[in-house]
Amino acid sequence: MKFIKFIDSVKSFLGLENFEKSTKEKSIKKLLEKLKAKKKIATDSLKTNHNEKEMALLQEELEIISKQIKKGKKLLKLLKSE
Amino acid sequence: MLKKIFLPTILVFLAYGFWISPDFKEISAGVAIFLFGMLSLEEGFKVFSGGTLEKILKKSTNKLYKSIGFGAVVTSIMQSSSLVSVLTISFLGAGLIGLSQGIGIIFGANIGTTTGAWLVAGLGLKVKISAYAMPMLVFGVILIFQKSKSVKGIGYILTGLGFLFLGIHYMKDGFEAFKSTIDLSSFAVSGFKGLIIYAGIGVFATVVMQSSHATLVLIITALSVGQITYENALALAIGANVGTTITAIIGSMSSNIDGKRLAAAHLIFNSVTGFIAILFIHQLIVVVDFTSNVIGIANDDYSLKLAVFHTIFNLIGVLVMIPFVDKLVIFLENTIKTKDLKKKDSYDSVRYFNESALAFPETSLVAIVKESKHLYENAFEIIAHGLNLKKSNIVSSMNIDDVIKEEYSNEIVDIDECYNRKIKGIYGEIIDFSTKAQSKMPPYYIEELYKLKHANRDIVEAVKDTKHLQKNLIKYSASSNSYIKKEYDFIKAGLAELLRNINIIATTDEEDVLLLVLSKSKVHIEKYDLIANGKLDELIRNNLVSNEMATSLMNDSAYAYDISKNLISMAETIFVDARSDMKELKQDMKISEDEIDSLLNKRKDL
């Protein structure tokens, strides 16, 4: 038996494939939490800030965070459906 | 001079020995076959060390107890503490592990190597091992001729074991016959003097054979046929333990400073252990006798008792040295230093490349990543100073508008000269090292290597583009035309912000910060597209800048765009992709080109 095949069979025997999946799920959940916290901070700053340049930057940051949250949620859904 | 005459002297001595004694010939042939077996074993393990072994090493050495355990287990499997120490030096040279972890592995290797004595004493001399050697050699050689690398590797391991067993068989036969001709025990010297002499012989024999295993086999076989006394055998085993450090010392010659420190640690550890063993030899003999009784070894079974002694004295050595690991590291760092650092203004050279790092694909890649970071450090300095910005301000939390106001120098920095001193040599070395590494790499690693080479090219391009940008940037930053000054300040601020973001990417452990900064940097690049965003058009249409200024601005915006694009691409490779946890996350969550476009369009619509 080839070495890599042997490793794969050991991994499947120990259920390590699912372990990888659940680790990935956990890291995405953690990331989503952090992004949501960042989004809240950016939204609050946007409400209190009146400097036009800074507001534009905050707006841009907010949009990027929103896109990443959307991506993260989609990825999480995909992982759960697998 | 000594080097030149050493080999011929040894050869003449051996030839003379073969001529006068056929038994000596048989023993020497046994040693030679044994050593050849070790070479074959090493070759076999190399096949399996393309990735798995390195990954295991990385995870198994983050704590001292883990590294000791790792060293012990791997040495027990590989049956060569020398191979493990040379391997450890190569990992250390590549910066994959620290010096204290390396020392831990060496400690463990000294425990692991004692299994060899058990194997030889317990199995090697009681079973007719040559009976196993022949089938192993036949199967091994057949497997070596197979196409599959893994099968080939198993073939080398089997052949190696076959030769090891065959070597032991010949040595044993040689000593059996030798017994009737010469009685080595007549040379025995009693007391402390005898211990020192035989320990010295043990050191010498191991240095010559480059294998403590081979010496141990010689000792056990000589002991089993009564050629030497038990006490002499113990002293020889102590000497063999000190002599085995020669392989690590030779291995460290081509390594970096940490490799040399590790070899020194190995020598210190084994010498201290040997010294303790010689000093307390009588107490140790009592302990060995007691242990042997407990585990049921016969009183006259000196071969197995030697194995017990070997294990106990190495264990004691490790236990005595563990509390001093940190002090040993400090001592080595203070005594073995890098040559005087070159003067600030002299030519910079590579820090992480050495021959031992080339031994494995992963160590080569780690060394290249580290050297690429070194190259970027230099490039960062050149770009910052080329733009007349202070490095310390860029990496601080200072407002970017203030960063560009504070100038680095009144004089223009000669980027060409800086490039020659701090980039060219290192870049050349990286390419040279990568080419050498590539020839030894399986295809899986080559793609990664290609990306790293590309990242280094990006760094070089960014420095070159900064040179093109510098002239006008300095000129128009001081221009009386406020419109062109504003545009060049914008370029300068954008690049300062980019350098700051790359510094954040390089240093943060927070995935969210990394992703956000990376995405923001990508979005910000697009602001240099003056034609697309209509800025240039506006400046020309309203006669706010001259034609010459407009052309310069258009070209220089393109340079700023290229610098940013190259540096972001480089940062993704050497700061993000080099971290396996971040790489996957970045791939899953990165903002696409279309999304960047939609963000920019949204901004335009506002």
Side-chain angles (χ1 to χ4, degrees):
Chain A
M1 190 188 281
K2 284 192 175 178
F3 196 64
I4 294 166
K5 271 188 184 172
F6 169 72
I7 298 274
D8 286 342
S9 61
V10 172
K11 269 166 88 175
S12 79
F13 174 74
L14 296 172
L16 291 178
E17 280 147 353
N18 278 338
F19 176 75
E20 269 175 32
K21 195 183 136 192
S22 68
T23 312
K24 197 171 174 181
E25 268 183 32
K26 271 183 202 164
S27 69
I28 292 172
K29 273 182 192 168
K30 205 173 121 191
L31 178 68
L32 278 174
E33 275 170 25
K34 284 182 182 175
L35 286 171
K36 279 175 189 168
K38 263 204 157 49
K39 189 179 177 181
K40 193 178 177 304
I41 294 168
T43 314
D44 291 346
S45 305
L46 204 59
K47 280 176 194 163
T48 53
N49 208 319
H50 300 295
N51 181 315
E52 206 175 307
K53 200 176 163 187
E54 281 176 17
M55 275 173 74
L57 285 172
L58 277 168
Q59 187 62 45
E60 182 189 275
E61 190 172 314
L62 208 57
E63 281 165 23
I64 293 172
I65 295 171
S66 302
K67 280 197 187 300
Q68 276 168 340
I69 290 176
K70 210 170 152 187
K71 265 180 193 290
K73 281 182 177 169
K74 203 173 158 186
L75 200 65
L76 204 62
K77 207 173 160 185
L78 198 76
L79 277 171
K80 279 181 180 165
S81 68
E82 269 175 12
Chain B
M1 180 66 188
L2 204 68
K3 257 186 190 174
K4 278 182 187 170
I5 59 162
F6 182 71
L7 184 64
T9 313
I10 292 283
L11 293 178
V12 169
F13 170 75
L14 284 173
Y16 178 70
F18 298 160
W19 184 46
I20 59 160
S21 166
D23 304 330
F24 177 66
K25 193 163 65 185
E26 199 163 358
I27 297 167
S28 304
V31 174
I33 293 169
F34 184 89
L35 291 178
F36 187 76
M38 273 186 54
L39 284 179
S40 185
L41 257 187
E42 190 176 333
E43 198 62 37
F45 283 120
K46 269 188 183 172
V47 173
F48 296 113
S49 59
T52 317
L53 189 64
E54 285 91 336
K55 276 176 195 158
I56 294 169
L57 183 76
K58 235 177 164 179
K59 286 189 178 171
S60 327
T61 57
N62 51 1
K63 296 218 164 65
L64 184 65
Y65 75 89
K66 276 191 186 178
S67 45
I68 292 176
F70 179 82
V73 171
V74 172
T75 311
S76 306
I77 296 168
M78 290 191 174
Q79 282 301 302
S80 169
S81 61
S82 308
L83 179 62
V84 173
S85 57
V86 172
L87 245 169
T88 311
I89 287 170
S90 83
F91 283 113
L92 197 63
L96 210 63
I97 55 168
L99 185 58
S100 42
Q101 285 103 307
I103 291 174
I105 297 176
I106 294 293
F107 284 6
N110 269 50
I111 296 172
T113 197
T114 61
T115 55
W118 285 99
L119 278 178
V120 178
L123 184 77
L125 299 175
K126 292 197 164 52
V127 183
K128 200 169 185 300
I129 49 173
S130 58
Y132 296 108
M134 301 304 172
M136 275 183 174
L137 284 172
V138 175
F139 288 127
V141 170
I142 291 172
L143 295 183
I144 286 173
F145 286 112
Q146 301 309 304
K147 274 185 183 170
S148 160
K149 264 196 145 187
S150 318
V151 176
K152 222 183 240 268
I154 294 168
Y156 275 114
I157 292 169
L158 275 180
T159 313
L161 287 173
F163 278 126
L164 287 188
F165 288 175
L166 196 65
I168 293 170
H169 167 74
Y170 275 110
M171 280 188 261
K172 195 182 156 194
D173 273 6
F175 271 110
E176 286 281 0
F178 205 47
K179 192 185 173 186
S180 57
T181 332
I182 300 169
D183 186 9
L184 271 179
S185 56
S186 62
F187 297 102
V189 183
S190 58
F192 192 70
K193 203 172 153 192
L195 276 175
I196 299 289
I197 291 172
Y198 271 88
I201 295 172
V203 173
F204 178 74
T206 313
V207 168
V208 171
M209 291 189 285
Q210 297 245 328
S211 164
S212 63
H213 261 61
T215 313
L216 214 61
V217 172
L218 274 174
I219 300 166
I220 291 173
T221 43
L223 181 67
S224 69
V225 295
Q227 283 282 342
I228 48 172
T229 65
Y230 176 53
E231 282 77 16
N232 295 156
L234 299 186
L236 280 167
I238 294 168
N241 227 42
V242 179
T244 193
T245 56
I246 191 72
T247 316
I249 292 168
I250 293 170
S252 74
M253 281 174 182
S254 60
S255 177
N256 65 1
I257 193 74
D258 272 338
K260 289 184 175 71
R261 284 174 184 151
L262 186 72
H266 197 187
L267 179 66
I268 292 170
F269 169 64
N270 288 28
S271 302
V272 168
T273 311
F275 182 70
I276 293 170
I278 287 177
L279 215 60
F280 298 101
I281 191 81
H282 299 299
Q283 288 83 345
L284 269 172
I285 289 174
V286 173
V287 176
V288 169
D289 286 343
F290 174 75
T291 315
S292 301
N293 273 337
V294 170
I295 56 176
I297 294 171
N299 253 345
D300 58 345
D301 194 346
Y302 291 116
S303 306
L304 275 178
K305 277 168 90 172
L306 184 71
V308 175
F309 170 78
H310 198 229
T311 309
I312 289 176
F313 103 81
N314 270 304
L315 273 175
I316 290 174
V318 172
L319 290 174
V320 167
M321 292 297 283
I322 280 177
F324 301 106
V325 170
D326 291 336
K327 281 185 181 148
L328 184 63
V329 170
I330 294 167
F331 170 74
L332 291 167
E333 280 171 351
N334 288 334
T335 43
I336 305 174
K337 288 179 184 169
T338 42
K339 283 175 196 158
D340 286 338
L341 287 173
K342 290 170 185 167
K343 273 190 262 165
K344 199 184 169 195
D345 291 337
S346 65
Y347 285 74
D348 196 5
S349 58
V350 288
R351 290 176 188 162
Y352 306 99
F353 290 161
N354 54 65
E355 284 300 313
S356 54
L358 275 172
F360 304 102
E362 201 143 307
T363 53
S364 307
L365 287 175
V366 171
I368 296 168
V369 168
K370 284 186 165 250
E371 211 53 67
S372 307
K373 286 179 182 174
H374 174 206
L375 186 73
Y376 173 68
E377 259 175 53
N378 289 355
F380 172 35
E381 188 182 313
I382 298 170
I383 295 169
H385 294 169
L387 300 174
N388 210 6
L389 300 169
K390 283 185 181 168
K391 255 175 77 182
S392 55
N393 288 347
I394 291 174
V395 296
S396 71
S397 55
M398 191 192 247
N399 187 299
I400 288 292
D401 291 336
D402 296 330
V403 171
I404 64 163
K405 273 179 203 156
E406 207 173 303
E407 292 184 339
Y408 166 69
S409 166
N410 291 328
E411 287 173 32
I412 296 173
V413 170
D414 186 345
I415 294 183
D416 264 338
E417 195 259 340
C418 292
Y419 174 82
N420 285 328
R421 277 195 298 112
K422 296 193 159 189
I423 301 289
K424 202 177 172 185
I426 300 174
Y427 180 56
E429 290 275 343
I430 291 173
I431 296 301
D432 184 49
F433 186 86
S434 307
T435 311
K436 282 182 193 162
Q438 191 171 340
S439 63
K440 295 177 181 176
M441 275 180 182
Y444 166 76
Y445 292 96
I446 290 177
E447 195 189 338
E448 214 161 314
L449 181 71
Y450 174 75
K451 280 184 189 166
L452 284 169
K453 277 160 96 173
H454 206 282
N456 280 285
R457 203 184 65 196
D458 287 339
I459 295 173
V460 172
E461 291 295 325
V463 174
K464 286 183 176 173
D465 284 339
T466 308
K467 187 201 146 195
H468 296 305
L469 175 66
Q470 186 191 37
K471 194 181 135 201
N472 287 330
L473 192 102
I474 303 285
K475 181 179 162 188
Y476 292 124
S477 291
S479 172
S480 54
N481 183 326
S482 62
Y483 296 100
I484 195 77
K485 183 182 182 310
K486 191 181 163 195
E487 290 309 318
Y488 274 93
D489 278 349
F490 178 73
I491 290 176
K492 210 171 165 181
L495 290 175
E497 197 183 342
L498 176 80
L499 292 173
R500 176 176 283 180
N501 285 344
I502 291 177
N503 185 56
I504 294 170
I505 292 170
T507 51
T508 187
D509 280 328
E510 301 291 324
E511 309 93 326
D512 57 325
V513 175
L514 188 140
L515 281 172
L516 190 61
V517 171
L518 196 63
S519 304
K520 263 162 86 176
S521 301
K522 282 183 179 172
V523 173
H524 286 190
I525 296 182
E526 302 305 322
K527 66 192 170 192
Y528 294 120
D529 196 350
L530 293 180
I531 298 174
N533 66 25
K535 248 187 191 175
L536 194 69
D537 206 30
E538 189 191 326
L539 289 168
I540 296 171
R541 205 175 42 237
N542 297 323
N543 274 331
L544 299 173
V545 294
S546 66
N547 287 345
E548 188 202 351
M549 285 173 181
T551 317
S552 296
L553 185 60
M554 197 167 72
N555 291 337
D556 292 333
S557 296
Y559 285 133
Y561 180 87
D562 289 343
I563 293 168
S564 307
K565 198 132 196 155
N566 284 331
L567 289 184
I568 289 173
S569 165
M570 172 282 304
E572 282 190 87
T573 307
I574 70 170
F575 294 122
V576 185
D577 292 350
R579 295 153 68 179
S580 53
D581 53 332
M582 293 288 190
K583 185 181 179 182
E584 207 178 333
L585 212 56
K586 184 207 84 181
Q587 275 166 351
D588 291 335
M589 302 283 285
K590 76 173 178 188
I591 302 276
S592 67
E593 298 287 324
D594 288 344
E595 283 166 322
I596 291 171
D597 283 345
S598 88
L599 270 171
L600 290 167
N601 288 335
K602 221 179 212 180
R603 206 188 298 169
K604 261 188 230 166
D605 295 341
L606 284 173

